[in-house]
Amino acid sequence: MLHCDDVYLRRIIRSWDRPIKSSHATKAQFIPLISPTPYSAELQEALGAANASNIQCIDNEHMQVVVFEVIVEYEACRQLKSLKTPLLHKIIEHAKRNLGIRLCPDSTMLHWYQGRNRLQEYGFVALFQRVFTLSRLDALATLAGIVSLNFENLFAVHNVTHVAERKGDSPLRDCIPRVIDIGFRDANMGVASCMDITQIHGHSGQVIGAVCTYKIHTQYVSLPATVVRGQLCIGRNKAAAFLFNQDKIDRHPFATVLLCQDIRLAIALDKRIHESPNLSDSEVIATGHIGRDLSPIPWNYLAGHDVILLCAPDKECHAQVKAYQNHVAKAGAQSFRVYPFPVLWSEVEKRDGSDAGLISEIEQVLFDKAVALASMAASDLITKLQCEARSYDNYVAWGKKNGLFQSTECHRHDNRDAPTLFSCVTEDCALPHSTTPSLNSIFPKGSISLLHGKKNSGKSFTLLSLAKALCSGSSFHNFECAGAPCKCLLLDSETQPLLLGSRLKQMTLDAHIRTNLHVISKLHEPRGSLWADFDLTRQEHLDALLAHVRNSNIEYVFLDNLTTLVPSGATYQQNTAGLVFDGLKKLCEFGVGVILVHHTLDDPGRKGVHGKMRGSSEFSIRCHTETMVIGKEEVLKEGNAPAVIMERTQQDGALSGLYVKSCKTAAHLENKIFWQHLPLNKSEWQFIATTDITGEIVEESDHAAKKGAERQSSPQTVPDIGAEDAGQVSTHDDTPADTTTLSPREERALAFVRTQKKVTRKQVQSHLAVAEKTAGNTLKVLLEARLIKKSGHNGDKNTYYYVD
């Protein structure tokens, strides 16, 4: 045994650090499996080992180390021959005093022997073990450090930006080993051959990386390659995360994207698509990625595309579909569907299911539905994938039906994700502001409602009053709460804790805290906690909210407010509305009513009842009930409200008008404003009157009626609040029909007309994604129900539909 006394050489010794498996996704990003046990060996054998193993990376950790060792040995030999690493020569010269060294010219492995018996040994790692008296793994770490290779660079991708080093037409030197000898470590593996090198291109044609596929015995593994100073090599640099064919996806914005969990399937499918005369990149593009970690993948390439995810035959991959759905939705894809059955890129002998020895229902389904890539024409396969792909919700239901997923995704979270329930700890303080359907039918459980108003309009006090009515079983704005008191959750994201506590005390809600009312304040939560950073667009945060709601039996959730519960500026993006509604839909599925609070757009051109919510109109379209709070400042600014309302503006306290813009379960409340006054430091609102949008009083309190009788000597015409024509008064009796009998399609059409103010039949057809005849019949129903009006005649290009 040799001992190296050279201090300089001793400094290069490294210790092997066992690679830590990265937490590429939290538990909340997976659909809960009934059993985490992988699919049986019988299913893997029936589908073929090549198709069912090493899907996102090399499965076996020992095999990863062996492959890394062989790559390091290859690189060390290459650098020794090129004389680019003097340190290797110094170590060999140091060992020549006792070891005979021989390097075969055409070999990818160092051959050497020691002593008189001339017993030949192989590899730099074994040599380093002798020279430095190290273990095999420490010797491997030392050698990897000398030749500048890193284990993580070989088996993981990273969120790094690639800068083009060379022009697209410049030659690229290939330093990828075509044959690597694994037999010296595992006789059963023999030689690994590089079967394919698929280059990844940037927009200017330059190569930014590659996928190298090696065949090791009966298995196939894919490794990422990088470009370093004009050389295509493995393991020398961090591999940048990519989507296969990402340049093509960007060039063809209307192509359907087939997203494969197995990069090997994506490469094989891409070849089949290019071989087909009936398919082109403008119609369909195959893509995939390397690695289990989805976070660094550049998902934004999928924006605007219809995406179909092709699942690999692996339980963890099936459960990870939830994470894929989240990433694709955040990227703004047009749609996301899942094809759950195996598409076999490697040929396998098909056997009868009864002979395969499958042990579960889901395995039998996967085996029966598996399709070999080579068994049918590419165009027929694409048609099959598009027809049989299902939505994410249907995919989850399919998994539950076949015994793959648990019946519910709601589980108790770790204690670190439990919220700190807010308590009122402040002193009393004086604040300057402060036949009928039931309250539960206006804001029904299982629906999402929207409440918005301008700054200082009193929307926070209105929200607290609504919460008080529901959790105490009392009334709100003259509407009674039906049934027993409800358990409510208020998530406040912008009010300072002291002010929030004062408001809760003023509204006497402190008596209900921790019983029928749970209060979570983002500003009260510990910095860095999940609830302090709560974001409605993040799936893990929504899952934590769902878990608390289920565990505490919450019936109503108040979210105040949308501006600070989503990323800055995100409310103006349509895909944000989709993310928020899709996330909150899970609360609704458990019978929970959700009330979203937001700001009204401060637009001089939209005054009074003509105001609209700040941000994307998608929020207004998709909500069940939309109400707008008109505050004292706006009434004073307009100065044209009924006298009974104007009188209250001169009194202390808060004045608000609750304008019902839309309500699917109480359509007769639409276009009415319910006025109330909250005296200074009082906890109960005083009902004043109900007006329509023209300003005409529909209902008046006894006290207000008495005051009105005293003013009969000087009657006053009441114009519309914010109306363009101050003298306009509604005189027709064309009362709209009840919208509760409308179908979902008709409700969507009506909401679209209301939002756009004036639409054509073609616009309605495009919005509903239906045929021309269906769109015409839908509009006809709304016309007959007197919910919309028509201008023009059939066949006239200038015909449009509108709402009075």
Side-chain angles (χ1 to χ4, degrees):
M1 183 177 294
L2 296 178
H3 298 275
C4 179
D5 297 323
D6 193 315
V7 177
Y8 172 74
L9 293 181
R10 281 289 180 183
R11 290 176 181 174
I12 67 171
I13 295 176
R14 300 287 184 269
S15 296
W16 175 266
D17 293 326
R18 184 173 180 268
I20 300 176
K21 293 184 179 180
S22 61
S23 54
H24 53 277
T26 63
K27 184 178 179 181
Q29 291 177 294
F30 287 84
I31 306 172
L33 296 165
I34 290 180
S35 171
T37 306
Y39 290 130
S40 67
E42 288 78 8
L43 177 65
Q44 295 187 23
E45 182 182 356
L47 298 179
N51 297 299
S53 62
N54 305 312
I55 292 170
Q56 293 175 320
C57 66
I58 299 178
D59 296 335
N60 187 280
E61 186 176 325
H62 169 69
M63 178 56 66
Q64 290 181 356
V65 176
V66 170
V67 171
F68 177 65
E69 181 179 356
V70 175
I71 297 293
V72 170
E73 292 279 4
Y74 170 86
E75 183 65 18
C77 284
R78 190 187 69 82
Q79 293 186 20
L80 185 66
K81 290 178 181 179
S82 62
L83 305 178
K84 289 187 176 181
T85 311
L87 185 56
L88 283 178
H89 290 274
K90 186 171 184 178
I91 294 173
I92 291 177
E93 290 298 326
H94 179 87
K96 276 185 177 180
R97 292 190 290 268
N98 301 89
L99 299 175
I101 303 300
R102 180 171 63 89
L103 180 63
C104 298
D106 299 326
S107 176
T108 59
M109 184 68 64
L110 179 71
H111 292 223
W112 60 276
Y113 56 87
Q114 176 191 12
R116 298 177 180 178
N117 55 13
R118 299 284 177 173
L119 181 61
Q120 194 173 72
E121 298 194 40
Y122 304 91
F124 281 94
V125 173
L127 178 65
F128 277 36
Q129 285 183 262
R130 297 288 181 89
V131 172
F132 299 110
T133 62
L134 300 173
S135 67
R136 169 182 161 245
L137 291 181
D138 288 343
L140 173 59
T142 301
L143 178 61
I146 293 173
V147 298
S148 302
L149 293 186
N150 185 282
F151 183 88
E152 294 295 332
N153 294 346
L154 198 61
F155 300 107
V157 293
H158 305 269
N159 188 12
V160 295
T161 303
H162 178 87
V163 179
E165 298 179 351
R166 304 170 68 85
K167 297 180 180 179
D169 57 353
S170 299
L172 188 68
R173 185 180 176 187
D174 189 343
C175 297
I176 305 296
R178 294 304 191 272
V179 178
I180 51 178
D181 185 7
I182 302 182
F184 80 102
R185 283 297 176 204
D186 191 335
N188 294 324
M189 293 299 177
V191 174
S193 302
C194 183
M195 307 300 294
D196 179 76
I197 298 178
T198 303
Q199 295 181 344
I200 308 299
H201 294 273
H203 300 285
S204 59
Q206 79 277 16
V207 179
I208 61 175
V211 178
C212 306
T213 303
Y214 286 88
K215 182 179 182 181
I216 305 176
H217 194 44
T218 60
Q219 302 183 35
Y220 290 81
V221 299
S222 295
L223 302 176
T226 56
V227 178
V228 182
R229 292 187 292 275
Q231 296 181 348
L232 187 64
C233 53
I234 294 181
R236 292 178 60 184
N237 268 22
K238 287 185 176 181
F242 60 82
L243 283 173
F244 174 55
N245 280 334
Q246 61 188 26
D247 55 322
K248 295 180 182 178
I249 296 174
D250 226 22
R251 286 198 301 269
H252 302 284
F254 300 105
T256 298
V257 176
L258 303 179
L259 175 58
C260 306
Q261 287 183 310
D262 191 337
I263 187 69
R264 301 167 299 183
L265 171 61
I267 294 172
L269 185 57
D270 181 66
K271 292 178 180 178
R272 291 297 310 277
I273 291 173
H274 287 165
E275 292 170 359
S276 173
N278 302 322
L279 297 173
S280 66
D281 290 336
S282 61
E283 297 173 317
V284 61
I285 299 174
T287 188
H289 64 90
I290 285 182
R292 294 192 179 98
D293 190 357
L294 303 184
S295 57
I297 305 297
W299 297 107
N300 286 338
Y301 282 102
L302 303 180
H305 289 273
D306 292 315
V307 179
I308 300 177
L309 178 67
L310 307 188
C311 289
D314 177 80
K315 269 192 180 181
E316 185 174 329
C317 290
H318 278 130
Q320 202 179 12
V321 170
K322 182 178 180 180
Y324 280 94
Q325 191 265 347
N326 292 338
H327 285 293
V328 172
K330 288 182 180 179
Q334 184 73 19
S335 66
F336 176 81
R337 292 183 294 157
V338 185
Y339 184 79
F341 310 113
V343 178
L344 309 179
W345 64 272
S346 177
E347 293 187 21
V348 62
E349 182 180 355
K350 187 76 173 180
R351 296 186 294 167
D352 184 73
S354 58
D355 298 332
L358 306 181
I359 61 175
S360 67
E361 179 181 359
I362 183 63
E363 291 187 355
Q364 190 66 53
V365 170
L366 294 178
F367 178 81
D368 293 339
K369 292 285 187 177
V371 56
L373 186 60
S375 65
M376 57 195 310
S379 56
D380 294 337
L381 176 61
I382 300 304
T383 302
K384 177 181 177 66
L385 297 178
Q386 292 176 331
C387 292
E388 297 185 15
R390 56 197 68 197
S391 68
Y392 172 74
D393 290 337
N394 287 339
Y395 167 76
V396 175
W398 168 83
K400 293 176 180 178
K401 178 182 177 182
N402 290 284
L404 178 61
F405 303 139
Q406 296 179 14
S407 58
T408 176
E409 295 186 39
C410 181
H411 294 273
R412 293 182 180 271
H413 280 238
D414 296 336
N415 290 333
R416 66 175 183 271
D417 289 343
T420 304
L421 298 182
F422 182 82
S423 298
C424 286
V425 294
T426 59
E427 299 295 330
D428 290 330
C429 67
L431 296 176
H433 293 286
S434 216
T435 212
T436 304
S438 68
L439 190 59
N440 310 72
S441 63
I442 300 174
F443 302 97
K445 297 177 183 178
S447 69
I448 301 174
S449 301
L450 186 62
L451 175 71
H452 59 91
K454 292 184 178 180
K455 186 177 181 181
N456 297 326
S457 62
K459 59 181 179 294
S460 293
F461 275 109
T462 302
L463 179 70
L464 294 178
S465 301
L466 175 57
K468 178 181 178 180
L470 289 171
C471 70
S472 64
S474 56
S475 61
F476 167 78
H477 273 274
N478 223 29
F479 301 110
E480 296 294 331
C481 181
C486 303
K487 202 166 185 179
C488 303
L489 167 67
L490 170 61
L491 175 53
D492 186 283
S493 63
E494 66 173 7
T495 309
Q496 292 295 329
L498 288 176
L499 182 58
L500 178 60
S502 298
R503 289 177 174 176
L504 291 170
K505 281 180 174 291
Q506 178 179 341
M507 303 305 293
T508 65
L509 278 167
D510 52 332
H512 301 283
I513 287 183
R514 294 181 180 271
T515 54
N516 272 2
L517 179 64
H518 286 194
V519 181
I520 302 174
S521 169
K522 280 185 66 172
L523 303 182
H524 178 67
E525 293 289 327
R527 182 176 298 180
S529 66
L530 180 147
W531 294 96
D533 301 326
F534 190 85
D535 184 346
L536 286 173
T537 63
R538 296 181 61 179
Q539 189 60 47
E540 61 270 26
H541 291 190
L542 288 169
D543 290 339
L545 176 62
L546 177 60
H548 180 74
V549 166
R550 294 295 311 283
N551 295 336
S552 303
N553 299 316
I554 300 295
E555 299 170 83
Y556 279 94
V557 174
F558 301 89
L559 301 170
D560 186 11
N561 72 51
L562 191 59
T563 301
T564 47
L565 287 173
V566 298
S568 177
T571 54
Y572 289 91
Q573 300 173 6
Q574 184 175 347
N575 65 309
T576 299
L579 285 175
V580 171
F581 274 87
D582 291 343
L584 295 179
K585 190 190 304 181
K586 294 186 178 180
L587 293 176
C588 298
E589 290 174 357
F590 291 104
V592 178
V594 181
I595 292 91
L596 272 173
V597 183
H598 196 38
H599 293 285
T600 299
L601 182 65
D602 193 4
D603 183 0
R606 290 182 173 272
K607 301 177 181 179
V609 296
H610 300 290
K612 59 170 288 187
M613 190 207 81
R614 185 192 299 171
S616 171
S617 60
E618 190 74 11
F619 288 99
S620 298
I621 295 173
R622 296 185 62 172
C623 69
H624 177 279
T625 299
E626 181 181 2
T627 52
M628 184 174 72
V629 180
I630 302 174
K632 179 190 292 187
E633 291 184 6
E634 193 168 2
V635 174
L636 287 171
K637 187 176 181 180
E638 296 298 318
N640 55 4
V644 66
I645 307 299
M646 294 300 297
E647 284 183 2
R648 294 299 182 104
T649 61
Q650 306 305 314
Q651 301 179 17
D652 292 332
L655 173 72
S656 73
L658 192 69
Y659 170 44
V660 182
K661 300 192 73 172
S662 65
C663 182
K664 296 180 181 179
T665 51
H668 63 284
L669 298 180
E670 295 179 2
N671 297 326
K672 290 184 174 63
I673 310 173
F674 300 88
W675 296 95
Q676 290 200 129
H677 177 248
L678 180 66
L680 189 64
N681 295 330
K682 299 298 183 180
S683 61
E684 299 295 336
W685 290 85
Q686 296 176 357
F687 172 69
I688 305 173
T690 302
T691 65
D692 59 18
I693 58 174
T694 68
E696 182 178 351
I697 294 180
V698 178
E699 180 185 2
E700 198 170 9
S701 68
D702 295 338
H703 177 73
K706 184 178 179 181
K707 288 285 186 180
E710 297 174 356
R711 294 192 300 269
Q712 284 183 354
S713 58
S714 56
Q716 182 179 357
T717 302
V718 182
D720 177 17
I721 298 176
E724 296 179 2
D725 183 0
Q728 180 181 357
V729 179
S730 177
T731 58
H732 65 81
D733 58 353
D734 195 9
T735 307
D738 190 352
T739 61
T740 56
T741 60
L742 296 180
S743 69
R745 180 189 295 121
E746 292 159 355
E747 289 181 354
R748 287 179 58 202
L750 179 58
F752 181 64
V753 177
R754 284 173 173 161
T755 304
Q756 301 298 321
K757 307 301 181 187
K758 183 172 72 173
V759 300
T760 64
R761 190 268 312 152
K762 190 172 184 180
Q763 289 174 323
V764 174
Q765 177 185 347
S766 176
H767 178 71
L768 299 178
V770 295
E772 177 181 343
K773 184 177 180 181
T774 304
N777 291 337
T778 302
L779 291 169
K780 183 179 179 181
V781 171
L782 298 179
L783 285 169
E784 293 175 349
R786 302 190 302 280
L787 295 171
I788 63 174
K789 290 190 175 183
K790 178 180 176 181
S791 174
H793 302 283
N794 291 335
D796 188 351
K797 292 184 179 181
N798 295 323
T799 299
Y800 62 87
Y801 302 85
Y802 64 97
V803 177
D804 251 354

